[in-house]
């Protein structure tokens, strides 16, 4: 995400904004548009976690069923979970 894109996008969103940055995101440039910048975010009540890279659910301290992530682009991960 480029800084000018982050600004345009963030201004259109209402409520609390949190960023789970990717490995190429310029965090210092875009962080001001977000309340928090986190490497992951666990949604306990909904039973899922958001991350940039795929992380297996059993690798988290808190039990989660699903990992919503980016980073694999068009590749498919052959994983029975």
């Amino acid at each position: 995400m480029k800084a000018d894109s982050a600004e345009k996008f963030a201004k259109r969103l209402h409520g609390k904004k949190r960023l789970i940055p990717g490995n190429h995101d310029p965090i210092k440039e875009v962080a001001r548009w977000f309340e928090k910048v986190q490497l992951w975010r666990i949604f306990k009540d909904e039973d899922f976690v958001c991350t940039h890279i795929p992380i297996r659910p059993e690798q988290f301290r808190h039990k989660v069923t699903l990992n919503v992530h980016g980073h694999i682009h068009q590749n498919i991960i052959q994983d029975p979970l």
Side-chain angles (χ1 to χ4, degrees), residues 10-52:
K11 284 182 177 181
R12 294 175 55 195
L13 296 174
H14 301 282
K16 297 178 181 180
K17 295 176 268 301
R18 296 177 184 209
L19 174 66
I20 298 173
N23 53 314
H24 297 290
D25 288 333
I27 297 170
K28 288 181 181 180
E29 294 176 29
V30 302
R32 63 184 168 168
W33 300 108
F34 297 90
E35 181 180 319
K36 278 188 173 182
V37 177
Q38 301 170 272
L39 296 178
W40 64 83
R41 171 84 162 101
I42 296 175
F43 295 86
K44 291 179 188 175
D45 293 341
E46 293 81 8
D47 194 30
F48 75 95
V49 62
C50 289
T51 62
H52 174 67

Side-chain angles (χ1 to χ4, degrees), residues 4 9 27 29 52 58 61 66 68 72:
D4 58 341
F9 183 70
I27 297 170
E29 294 176 29
H52 174 67
E58 64 268 13
R61 243 182 287 173
L66 182 65
V68 178
I72 61 168

